[in-house]
Amino acid sequence: MAPQQLIKQLEAYTLQHPQEVLLLSLGQEAVEDQILIFKGFSSSLMRPTDFNPDNPILTEALPIQSIDRLQSPYNPANPVFIESGLSLTQMQQYLTEADIN
């Protein structure tokens, strides 16, 4: 699946589930990033996020290592995990259940 399509699906999921925040851990070798998705918006926690939503925040260069489902509102000092360390395949099951294609 193309990264831009995937991020749109994850954003749609958070619109349907506003009580959740998704935290994506990305990385390859020494390059890492974290993307937070909440109520349809994505933002990098480690790099500048482009103001133009048409520019991809997720790329094939940094594959998804894990996805955490957290309770909203997100407090980085005291995060409340619903589920931690999901694989992309496991998260896609939630997208299917939410009828997000």
Side-chain angles (χ1 to χ4, degrees):
M1 174 180 311
Q4 194 63 8
Q5 179 185 359
L6 176 60
I7 202 76
K8 293 208 179 291
Q9 289 177 339
L10 294 171
E11 289 171 345
Y13 177 85
T14 62
L15 283 172
Q16 285 186 15
H17 300 85
Q19 73 282 4
E20 290 186 32
V21 175
L22 299 178
L23 180 62
L24 283 60
S25 295
L26 316 171
Q28 184 170 322
E29 297 175 11
V31 181
E32 296 179 344
D33 195 6
Q34 287 187 317
I35 295 175
L36 191 72
I37 306 173
F38 177 61
K39 290 189 178 182
F41 293 97
S42 302
S43 181
S44 172
L45 297 179
M46 301 173 78
R47 299 180 294 140
T49 302
D50 195 322
F51 68 92
N52 184 349
D54 291 332
N55 291 336
I57 191 166
L58 188 62
T59 67
E60 292 178 7
L62 288 176
I64 295 174
Q65 299 299 316
S66 66
I67 301 172
D68 297 331
R69 295 173 56 224
L70 299 131
Q71 186 175 344
S72 172
Y74 174 66
N75 178 352
N78 189 24
V80 178
F81 289 87
I82 298 168
E83 263 186 300
S84 180
L86 295 171
S87 68
L88 181 55
T89 303
Q90 291 170 310
M91 188 64 210
Q92 286 174 326
Q93 180 62 37
Y94 285 105
L95 297 175
T96 300
E97 290 172 7
D99 198 27
I100 298 171
N101 298 329

